[in-house]
Amino acid sequence: MIDVIVSEWMKLRSLRSNLYLLACSGAAVLACAGIAFMIGRGFDHQTAAEQPAFPGNGDGLGNGIAVAYFVFALLGALAITSEYGTTMIWTSLVAVPRRQLLLLAKVPGLAAVALVAGQVLAFAMHAVSMAVLGDRAGQLLRDGVTLGTPLSEPGVLASVIAAGLSMAAVALIGLGVGAAVRSTPGALVVLTVIIVVLPVVAKTLPMPLRAQAGSFMIENLPLQIAGTGGGTLPPVAAAGLLVAYVIAALTAGAARIATTGRRIKAVAIGVAATLLVSAVPAVAAGPPDSGRSTLAWADCADEELVKEMRCASIDVPVNWARPSGRKIGLTVALLPATGAQRRTGTVFAIPGGPGGSGVEDLSANAGSFAELRDHFDVVSVEPRNTVDKGVLSFDCLFSGPWITWPDSPREWAELGRRNRAAAQRCRAADPEFFDHMDSASVARDMEAIRVALGEEQLSFIANSYGGRPGIDYSRLFPGRVRAMVFDGAMDPFMDRAVGRRPHEEAFTRFAAWCAANTTCALHGQDVGAVWRALVARADRTPVPVRGEPAKAAYSGLDIKQAAAPSVIEPGPAPEFPRWTQLAEAIKRAAGGDASGFADYVRQSTKSPKVPSATGMNMTHCLDGIVFDDYEEYRAKRREGERLLPNLAGIELWHPLGCVGWPTPVTNPPAPLPAGKLPPYLGVGSWTDFGRSADIVRRVPGSAAVQYLSTGHGLYNAGNSCIIAHVNRYLISLRLPAPGTVCRPPAT
């Protein structure tokens, strides 16, 4: 056997055409360089807002790998078809009567040459692609990868090595095809079909069939072997499939070259080996799902939801302390994984509010999850505290009393009486249900959904007040959390006045804008002085609203609460329409008419002043957003007046809404079990970054990204930079470096 291998090595080495072929493989490097150049040019011509959505170049090999495969496959085919073309095969068979031995003896030398050349070529293709892209290669894209991926990225080194190995495998496939066809032109046709035609046909199929078929193409196997994408196969299954292709090709060649009596035996052995190396790894890898969902998914009843969304219902206990007691149905929504990549698991989008519907939010913001769905199912829920579930009156929950400053124990007691009366009006319809709207109950509902989904763990994006059930889920079920993102989240650990200091910074920006823009109704005046004088005067003598009764007059606290949303959210630059509206409202109020504020508030609440909505309070008050007594309130008020010279009081709004609440706190804030949790990611804008960052810093190894502009719920809002960082974390569990920021597109 050794002598036969040596002789075959001499044949391979002596063929001058083989050197020419290996030299031609350099065309793959040129192809990678050319495509990388075009990608770089195309990227440069995108706006800053468009660039994160640009398709990436990956490890750079995909652009030239078909060229490399064709060269190596032809190298393998010529190792035997050249002998058929010159009729030297018959001489070889006389020298080596065992025909299959002759074929197998060609494998070691061919494999050795292809392994070395393949690795050199693969690293050269990657290097030239990265060099051509230059600094642009580090641009993070919405799908969680960079425009070009250096070897330091997880899985990239493995994918380049796997690509080099696959070139050796393709050479052996070419050898098998050449032995089976016995003709160089015929082998070229077959190899062209395998390497070029079939992948092109697969790309024309509709999804998810396109992804499924593409996963079996040889060119997509290296990335799947490295676990970095490319298809739906797990790494061991992809590796097994590549080996199976080699065995199948060599089996075909061995059967063709064998004498008639030995062909059946060769085919049987080859088929058995092929099935073994392809099936066993796939079975061993298993599916990414840990179980089967028991939820009955169907078309959603609401026709206004996106058509691809599926809905199901799950029954959960009203009172989790009595799990066998009364149940209530929750609607769960699913945006299924697209099948473009191997499914990683499920991401649970926790809605904010409290009182928001995750089903409606997921439908409205489906576009934000497009890239994430290449890897995940995305689910959300219409939680138990959604205000329009029909169990409690929507009108009752959406309304509430107007909050006033209590300046004495008597006024404190009067505020409590009004709050309690408003709560009791809504609570009377279903006291048991009303009393179990805390975020811990929502978190337990989420755990019931996890069990019904059949998932071992879930990944989460907690939006706004959804951060509180996200924290409670982390506390109650730490082992079930794969990853957690807090996006502008509510932070129960941070002092409320400290948490509102970014609002003061926003007011400073508003005042500076007024000073610089003649479109501001207060241009040329000291905006801060005008504002503080108005607030102080309104606290002494409330400013009336034209056409409304006297009780609708605005106190200084009313003015600040009505203005706060516009202060932090000015609207699109450079017009900043909400700042324009705010300046006009301030000017009118300074002249004795608060209608400018009332008109704005009516648009969202149908009330001339901001009400303390009972539907929000029924969760806030149970979650511990309360004052222990009048003395604590006075101390917090003094602290707010010290830290928030322009907006003091907005931090007290929600706790004041819980004064006199008829039910006690059932879910007070509690520490996170940091040692049992994976690293978290926090994101947020100028206004709410501090809260998200404060939450995640309590979990070792976590990170946070600040968006250097305004906004709230940035992932849902389609902020491409934030989506890129969040997707990167959720897909690969990679966190950004400390100090990472996102900048708004230039205007």
mmCIF file with all atom_site columns, all heavy atoms in Angstrom, residues 27 49 86 118 137 156 174 192 203 218 250 311 361 426 435 439 510 557 566 680 724 728:
data_model
loop_
_atom_site.group_PDB
_atom_site.id
_atom_site.type_symbol
_atom_site.label_atom_id
_atom_site.label_alt_id
_atom_site.label_comp_id
_atom_site.label_asym_id
_atom_site.label_entity_id
_atom_site.label_seq_id
_atom_site.pdbx_PDB_ins_code
_atom_site.Cartn_x
_atom_site.Cartn_y
_atom_site.Cartn_z
_atom_site.occupancy
_atom_site.B_iso_or_equiv
_atom_site.pdbx_formal_charge
_atom_site.auth_seq_id
_atom_site.auth_comp_id
_atom_site.auth_asym_id
_atom_site.auth_atom_id
_atom_site.pdbx_PDB_model_num
ATOM 1   N N   . ALA A 1 27  ? -7.069  33.467 -8.179  1.00 0.00 ? 27  ALA A N   1
ATOM 2   C CA  . ALA A 1 27  ? -8.234  34.224 -8.651  1.00 0.00 ? 27  ALA A CA  1
ATOM 3   C C   . ALA A 1 27  ? -9.273  34.367 -7.555  1.00 0.00 ? 27  ALA A C   1
ATOM 4   O O   . ALA A 1 27  ? -10.044 35.342 -7.526  1.00 0.00 ? 27  ALA A O   1
ATOM 5   C CB  . ALA A 1 27  ? -8.839  33.535 -9.877  1.00 0.00 ? 27  ALA A CB  1
ATOM 6   N N   . ALA A 1 49  ? -27.496 56.890 8.746   1.00 0.00 ? 49  ALA A N   1
ATOM 7   C CA  . ALA A 1 49  ? -28.659 56.139 9.214   1.00 0.00 ? 49  ALA A CA  1
ATOM 8   C C   . ALA A 1 49  ? -28.821 54.833 8.446   1.00 0.00 ? 49  ALA A C   1
ATOM 9   O O   . ALA A 1 49  ? -29.325 53.846 8.989   1.00 0.00 ? 49  ALA A O   1
ATOM 10  C CB  . ALA A 1 49  ? -29.922 56.990 9.075   1.00 0.00 ? 49  ALA A CB  1
ATOM 11  N N   . THR A 1 86  ? -5.234  9.862  -21.231 1.00 0.00 ? 86  THR A N   1
ATOM 12  C CA  . THR A 1 86  ? -4.008  9.406  -21.909 1.00 0.00 ? 86  THR A CA  1
ATOM 13  C C   . THR A 1 86  ? -3.920  7.883  -21.984 1.00 0.00 ? 86  THR A C   1
ATOM 14  O O   . THR A 1 86  ? -2.900  7.352  -22.458 1.00 0.00 ? 86  THR A O   1
ATOM 15  C CB  . THR A 1 86  ? -2.777  9.926  -21.145 1.00 0.00 ? 86  THR A CB  1
ATOM 16  O OG1 . THR A 1 86  ? -2.808  9.429  -19.801 1.00 0.00 ? 86  THR A OG1 1
ATOM 17  C CG2 . THR A 1 86  ? -2.750  11.447 -21.131 1.00 0.00 ? 86  THR A CG2 1
ATOM 18  N N   . GLY A 1 118 ? -5.178  24.889 0.704   1.00 0.00 ? 118 GLY A N   1
ATOM 19  C CA  . GLY A 1 118 ? -6.470  25.421 1.117   1.00 0.00 ? 118 GLY A CA  1
ATOM 20  C C   . GLY A 1 118 ? -6.357  26.367 2.293   1.00 0.00 ? 118 GLY A C   1
ATOM 21  O O   . GLY A 1 118 ? -6.998  27.428 2.321   1.00 0.00 ? 118 GLY A O   1
ATOM 22  N N   . ALA A 1 137 ? -14.313 47.999 8.294   1.00 0.00 ? 137 ALA A N   1
ATOM 23  C CA  . ALA A 1 137 ? -14.620 46.627 8.686   1.00 0.00 ? 137 ALA A CA  1
ATOM 24  C C   . ALA A 1 137 ? -15.203 46.548 10.086  1.00 0.00 ? 137 ALA A C   1
ATOM 25  O O   . ALA A 1 137 ? -15.966 45.637 10.396  1.00 0.00 ? 137 ALA A O   1
ATOM 26  C CB  . ALA A 1 137 ? -13.358 45.767 8.608   1.00 0.00 ? 137 ALA A CB  1
ATOM 27  N N   . VAL A 1 156 ? -14.624 33.269 13.905  1.00 0.00 ? 156 VAL A N   1
ATOM 28  C CA  . VAL A 1 156 ? -14.090 33.635 12.592  1.00 0.00 ? 156 VAL A CA  1
ATOM 29  C C   . VAL A 1 156 ? -12.845 32.816 12.261  1.00 0.00 ? 156 VAL A C   1
ATOM 30  O O   . VAL A 1 156 ? -12.702 32.307 11.141  1.00 0.00 ? 156 VAL A O   1
ATOM 31  C CB  . VAL A 1 156 ? -13.799 35.147 12.518  1.00 0.00 ? 156 VAL A CB  1
ATOM 32  C CG1 . VAL A 1 156 ? -13.154 35.502 11.183  1.00 0.00 ? 156 VAL A CG1 1
ATOM 33  C CG2 . VAL A 1 156 ? -15.084 35.932 12.704  1.00 0.00 ? 156 VAL A CG2 1
ATOM 34  N N   . GLY A 1 174 ? -13.900 16.023 -5.999  1.00 0.00 ? 174 GLY A N   1
ATOM 35  C CA  . GLY A 1 174 ? -13.516 16.047 -7.408  1.00 0.00 ? 174 GLY A CA  1
ATOM 36  C C   . GLY A 1 174 ? -12.875 14.741 -7.844  1.00 0.00 ? 174 GLY A C   1
ATOM 37  O O   . GLY A 1 174 ? -13.126 14.246 -8.958  1.00 0.00 ? 174 GLY A O   1
ATOM 38  N N   . THR A 1 192 ? -19.434 21.666 -12.036 1.00 0.00 ? 192 THR A N   1
ATOM 39  C CA  . THR A 1 192 ? -20.085 22.967 -12.228 1.00 0.00 ? 192 THR A CA  1
ATOM 40  C C   . THR A 1 192 ? -21.493 22.946 -11.646 1.00 0.00 ? 192 THR A C   1
ATOM 41  O O   . THR A 1 192 ? -21.935 23.913 -10.999 1.00 0.00 ? 192 THR A O   1
ATOM 42  C CB  . THR A 1 192 ? -20.128 23.334 -13.718 1.00 0.00 ? 192 THR A CB  1
ATOM 43  O OG1 . THR A 1 192 ? -18.803 23.397 -14.232 1.00 0.00 ? 192 THR A OG1 1
ATOM 44  C CG2 . THR A 1 192 ? -20.833 24.658 -13.937 1.00 0.00 ? 192 THR A CG2 1
ATOM 45  N N   . LYS A 1 203 ? -30.701 29.643 -4.025  1.00 0.00 ? 203 LYS A N   1
ATOM 46  C CA  . LYS A 1 203 ? -30.937 31.045 -3.681  1.00 0.00 ? 203 LYS A CA  1
ATOM 47  C C   . LYS A 1 203 ? -32.195 31.609 -4.331  1.00 0.00 ? 203 LYS A C   1
ATOM 48  O O   . LYS A 1 203 ? -32.660 32.681 -3.947  1.00 0.00 ? 203 LYS A O   1
ATOM 49  C CB  . LYS A 1 203 ? -29.723 31.885 -4.077  1.00 0.00 ? 203 LYS A CB  1
ATOM 50  C CG  . LYS A 1 203 ? -28.490 31.595 -3.230  1.00 0.00 ? 203 LYS A CG  1
ATOM 51  C CD  . LYS A 1 203 ? -27.271 32.341 -3.731  1.00 0.00 ? 203 LYS A CD  1
ATOM 52  C CE  . LYS A 1 203 ? -26.046 31.987 -2.908  1.00 0.00 ? 203 LYS A CE  1
ATOM 53  N NZ  . LYS A 1 203 ? -24.810 32.645 -3.406  1.00 0.00 ? 203 LYS A NZ  1
ATOM 54  N N   . ILE A 1 218 ? -22.273 23.082 -0.112  1.00 0.00 ? 218 ILE A N   1
ATOM 55  C CA  . ILE A 1 218 ? -20.916 22.962 0.435   1.00 0.00 ? 218 ILE A CA  1
ATOM 56  C C   . ILE A 1 218 ? -20.364 24.331 0.833   1.00 0.00 ? 218 ILE A C   1
ATOM 57  O O   . ILE A 1 218 ? -19.697 24.462 1.865   1.00 0.00 ? 218 ILE A O   1
ATOM 58  C CB  . ILE A 1 218 ? -19.991 22.288 -0.592  1.00 0.00 ? 218 ILE A CB  1
ATOM 59  C CG1 . ILE A 1 218 ? -20.484 20.864 -0.883  1.00 0.00 ? 218 ILE A CG1 1
ATOM 60  C CG2 . ILE A 1 218 ? -18.557 22.253 -0.087  1.00 0.00 ? 218 ILE A CG2 1
ATOM 61  C CD1 . ILE A 1 218 ? -19.722 20.150 -1.985  1.00 0.00 ? 218 ILE A CD1 1
ATOM 62  N N   . LEU A 1 250 ? -16.419 9.537  -3.207  1.00 0.00 ? 250 LEU A N   1
ATOM 63  C CA  . LEU A 1 250 ? -15.428 8.474  -3.343  1.00 0.00 ? 250 LEU A CA  1
ATOM 64  C C   . LEU A 1 250 ? -16.092 7.115  -3.514  1.00 0.00 ? 250 LEU A C   1
ATOM 65  O O   . LEU A 1 250 ? -15.563 6.234  -4.212  1.00 0.00 ? 250 LEU A O   1
ATOM 66  C CB  . LEU A 1 250 ? -14.505 8.458  -2.129  1.00 0.00 ? 250 LEU A CB  1
ATOM 67  C CG  . LEU A 1 250 ? -13.549 9.662  -2.009  1.00 0.00 ? 250 LEU A CG  1
ATOM 68  C CD1 . LEU A 1 250 ? -12.757 9.590  -0.718  1.00 0.00 ? 250 LEU A CD1 1
ATOM 69  C CD2 . LEU A 1 250 ? -12.616 9.732  -3.216  1.00 0.00 ? 250 LEU A CD2 1
ATOM 70  N N   . CYS A 1 311 ? -50.993 34.015 17.284  1.00 0.00 ? 311 CYS A N   1
ATOM 71  C CA  . CYS A 1 311 ? -51.463 34.277 18.641  1.00 0.00 ? 311 CYS A CA  1
ATOM 72  C C   . CYS A 1 311 ? -51.910 32.985 19.315  1.00 0.00 ? 311 CYS A C   1
ATOM 73  O O   . CYS A 1 311 ? -52.295 32.018 18.649  1.00 0.00 ? 311 CYS A O   1
ATOM 74  C CB  . CYS A 1 311 ? -52.622 35.276 18.642  1.00 0.00 ? 311 CYS A CB  1
ATOM 75  S SG  . CYS A 1 311 ? -52.138 36.966 18.194  1.00 0.00 ? 311 CYS A SG  1
ATOM 76  N N   . ASP A 1 361 ? -47.586 46.175 20.681  1.00 0.00 ? 361 ASP A N   1
ATOM 77  C CA  . ASP A 1 361 ? -46.244 46.728 20.507  1.00 0.00 ? 361 ASP A CA  1
ATOM 78  C C   . ASP A 1 361 ? -45.416 45.873 19.548  1.00 0.00 ? 361 ASP A C   1
ATOM 79  O O   . ASP A 1 361 ? -44.711 46.401 18.680  1.00 0.00 ? 361 ASP A O   1
ATOM 80  C CB  . ASP A 1 361 ? -45.524 46.806 21.858  1.00 0.00 ? 361 ASP A CB  1
ATOM 81  C CG  . ASP A 1 361 ? -46.063 47.905 22.749  1.00 0.00 ? 361 ASP A CG  1
ATOM 82  O OD1 . ASP A 1 361 ? -46.856 48.724 22.262  1.00 0.00 ? 361 ASP A OD1 1
ATOM 83  O OD2 . ASP A 1 361 ? -45.693 47.942 23.941  1.00 0.00 ? 361 ASP A OD2 1
ATOM 84  N N   . CYS A 1 426 ? -62.699 51.611 40.497  1.00 0.00 ? 426 CYS A N   1
ATOM 85  C CA  . CYS A 1 426 ? -62.258 50.602 39.525  1.00 0.00 ? 426 CYS A CA  1
ATOM 86  C C   . CYS A 1 426 ? -62.199 49.212 40.164  1.00 0.00 ? 426 CYS A C   1
ATOM 87  O O   . CYS A 1 426 ? -62.575 48.216 39.540  1.00 0.00 ? 426 CYS A O   1
ATOM 88  C CB  . CYS A 1 426 ? -60.881 50.966 38.978  1.00 0.00 ? 426 CYS A CB  1
ATOM 89  S SG  . CYS A 1 426 ? -60.809 52.550 38.102  1.00 0.00 ? 426 CYS A SG  1
ATOM 90  N N   . ASP A 1 435 ? -56.269 43.456 42.842  1.00 0.00 ? 435 ASP A N   1
ATOM 91  C CA  . ASP A 1 435 ? -55.260 43.371 43.895  1.00 0.00 ? 435 ASP A CA  1
ATOM 92  C C   . ASP A 1 435 ? -54.038 42.546 43.514  1.00 0.00 ? 435 ASP A C   1
ATOM 93  O O   . ASP A 1 435 ? -53.117 42.396 44.325  1.00 0.00 ? 435 ASP A O   1
ATOM 94  C CB  . ASP A 1 435 ? -55.878 42.778 45.168  1.00 0.00 ? 435 ASP A CB  1
ATOM 95  C CG  . ASP A 1 435 ? -56.893 43.710 45.820  1.00 0.00 ? 435 ASP A CG  1
ATOM 96  O OD1 . ASP A 1 435 ? -56.958 44.885 45.412  1.00 0.00 ? 435 ASP A OD1 1
ATOM 97  O OD2 . ASP A 1 435 ? -57.625 43.256 46.715  1.00 0.00 ? 435 ASP A OD2 1
ATOM 98  N N   . SER A 1 439 ? -45.847 43.544 39.518  1.00 0.00 ? 439 SER A N   1
ATOM 99  C CA  . SER A 1 439 ? -44.912 43.063 38.489  1.00 0.00 ? 439 SER A CA  1
ATOM 100 C C   . SER A 1 439 ? -44.404 41.665 38.779  1.00 0.00 ? 439 SER A C   1
ATOM 101 O O   . SER A 1 439 ? -44.012 40.949 37.844  1.00 0.00 ? 439 SER A O   1
ATOM 102 C CB  . SER A 1 439 ? -43.731 44.031 38.362  1.00 0.00 ? 439 SER A CB  1
ATOM 103 O OG  . SER A 1 439 ? -44.156 45.259 37.805  1.00 0.00 ? 439 SER A OG  1
ATOM 104 N N   . PHE A 1 510 ? -33.188 72.835 26.148  1.00 0.00 ? 510 PHE A N   1
ATOM 105 C CA  . PHE A 1 510 ? -34.343 73.581 25.643  1.00 0.00 ? 510 PHE A CA  1
ATOM 106 C C   . PHE A 1 510 ? -34.099 75.082 25.756  1.00 0.00 ? 510 PHE A C   1
ATOM 107 O O   . PHE A 1 510 ? -34.357 75.852 24.810  1.00 0.00 ? 510 PHE A O   1
ATOM 108 C CB  . PHE A 1 510 ? -35.592 73.171 26.435  1.00 0.00 ? 510 PHE A CB  1
ATOM 109 C CG  . PHE A 1 510 ? -36.750 74.123 26.302  1.00 0.00 ? 510 PHE A CG  1
ATOM 110 C CD1 . PHE A 1 510 ? -37.394 74.300 25.089  1.00 0.00 ? 510 PHE A CD1 1
ATOM 111 C CD2 . PHE A 1 510 ? -37.189 74.848 27.399  1.00 0.00 ? 510 PHE A CD2 1
ATOM 112 C CE1 . PHE A 1 510 ? -38.464 75.188 24.967  1.00 0.00 ? 510 PHE A CE1 1
ATOM 113 C CE2 . PHE A 1 510 ? -38.262 75.725 27.291  1.00 0.00 ? 510 PHE A CE2 1
ATOM 114 C CZ  . PHE A 1 510 ? -38.896 75.906 26.075  1.00 0.00 ? 510 PHE A CZ  1
ATOM 115 N N   . LEU A 1 557 ? -46.909 72.510 39.863  1.00 0.00 ? 557 LEU A N   1
ATOM 116 C CA  . LEU A 1 557 ? -46.682 71.079 39.672  1.00 0.00 ? 557 LEU A CA  1
ATOM 117 C C   . LEU A 1 557 ? -47.378 70.588 38.405  1.00 0.00 ? 557 LEU A C   1
ATOM 118 O O   . LEU A 1 557 ? -46.811 69.792 37.650  1.00 0.00 ? 557 LEU A O   1
ATOM 119 C CB  . LEU A 1 557 ? -47.193 70.305 40.887  1.00 0.00 ? 557 LEU A CB  1
ATOM 120 C CG  . LEU A 1 557 ? -47.064 68.779 40.812  1.00 0.00 ? 557 LEU A CG  1
ATOM 121 C CD1 . LEU A 1 557 ? -45.604 68.357 40.693  1.00 0.00 ? 557 LEU A CD1 1
ATOM 122 C CD2 . LEU A 1 557 ? -47.714 68.125 42.025  1.00 0.00 ? 557 LEU A CD2 1
ATOM 123 N N   . SER A 1 566 ? -42.436 67.036 26.752  1.00 0.00 ? 566 SER A N   1
ATOM 124 C CA  . SER A 1 566 ? -41.911 67.857 25.662  1.00 0.00 ? 566 SER A CA  1
ATOM 125 C C   . SER A 1 566 ? -40.494 68.325 25.943  1.00 0.00 ? 566 SER A C   1
ATOM 126 O O   . SER A 1 566 ? -39.698 68.504 25.012  1.00 0.00 ? 566 SER A O   1
ATOM 127 C CB  . SER A 1 566 ? -42.826 69.069 25.441  1.00 0.00 ? 566 SER A CB  1
ATOM 128 O OG  . SER A 1 566 ? -44.076 68.675 24.927  1.00 0.00 ? 566 SER A OG  1
ATOM 129 N N   . TYR A 1 680 ? -25.681 41.337 31.883  1.00 0.00 ? 680 TYR A N   1
ATOM 130 C CA  . TYR A 1 680 ? -26.819 42.011 31.262  1.00 0.00 ? 680 TYR A CA  1
ATOM 131 C C   . TYR A 1 680 ? -26.333 43.166 30.389  1.00 0.00 ? 680 TYR A C   1
ATOM 132 O O   . TYR A 1 680 ? -25.184 43.605 30.481  1.00 0.00 ? 680 TYR A O   1
ATOM 133 C CB  . TYR A 1 680 ? -27.770 42.544 32.330  1.00 0.00 ? 680 TYR A CB  1
ATOM 134 C CG  . TYR A 1 680 ? -28.671 41.502 32.969  1.00 0.00 ? 680 TYR A CG  1
ATOM 135 C CD1 . TYR A 1 680 ? -29.554 41.858 33.987  1.00 0.00 ? 680 TYR A CD1 1
ATOM 136 C CD2 . TYR A 1 680 ? -28.654 40.169 32.560  1.00 0.00 ? 680 TYR A CD2 1
ATOM 137 C CE1 . TYR A 1 680 ? -30.390 40.915 34.577  1.00 0.00 ? 680 TYR A CE1 1
ATOM 138 C CE2 . TYR A 1 680 ? -29.477 39.225 33.138  1.00 0.00 ? 680 TYR A CE2 1
ATOM 139 C CZ  . TYR A 1 680 ? -30.348 39.609 34.151  1.00 0.00 ? 680 TYR A CZ  1
ATOM 140 O OH  . TYR A 1 680 ? -31.166 38.673 34.711  1.00 0.00 ? 680 TYR A OH  1
ATOM 141 N N   . ALA A 1 724 ? -28.229 47.167 16.662  1.00 0.00 ? 724 ALA A N   1
ATOM 142 C CA  . ALA A 1 724 ? -27.010 46.415 16.339  1.00 0.00 ? 724 ALA A CA  1
ATOM 143 C C   . ALA A 1 724 ? -26.358 45.868 17.600  1.00 0.00 ? 724 ALA A C   1
ATOM 144 O O   . ALA A 1 724 ? -25.979 44.686 17.663  1.00 0.00 ? 724 ALA A O   1
ATOM 145 C CB  . ALA A 1 724 ? -26.040 47.309 15.570  1.00 0.00 ? 724 ALA A CB  1
ATOM 146 N N   . ARG A 1 728 ? -26.301 41.906 18.644  1.00 0.00 ? 728 ARG A N   1
ATOM 147 C CA  . ARG A 1 728 ? -24.989 41.264 18.840  1.00 0.00 ? 728 ARG A CA  1
ATOM 148 C C   . ARG A 1 728 ? -24.957 40.530 20.179  1.00 0.00 ? 728 ARG A C   1
ATOM 149 O O   . ARG A 1 728 ? -24.484 39.384 20.277  1.00 0.00 ? 728 ARG A O   1
ATOM 150 C CB  . ARG A 1 728 ? -23.887 42.324 18.779  1.00 0.00 ? 728 ARG A CB  1
ATOM 151 C CG  . ARG A 1 728 ? -22.464 41.787 18.916  1.00 0.00 ? 728 ARG A CG  1
ATOM 152 C CD  . ARG A 1 728 ? -21.503 42.978 18.902  1.00 0.00 ? 728 ARG A CD  1
ATOM 153 N NE  . ARG A 1 728 ? -20.111 42.598 18.996  1.00 0.00 ? 728 ARG A NE  1
ATOM 154 C CZ  . ARG A 1 728 ? -19.335 42.273 17.977  1.00 0.00 ? 728 ARG A CZ  1
ATOM 155 N NH1 . ARG A 1 728 ? -19.836 42.258 16.757  1.00 0.00 ? 728 ARG A NH1 1
ATOM 156 N NH2 . ARG A 1 728 ? -18.063 41.969 18.147  1.00 0.00 ? 728 ARG A NH2 1
#
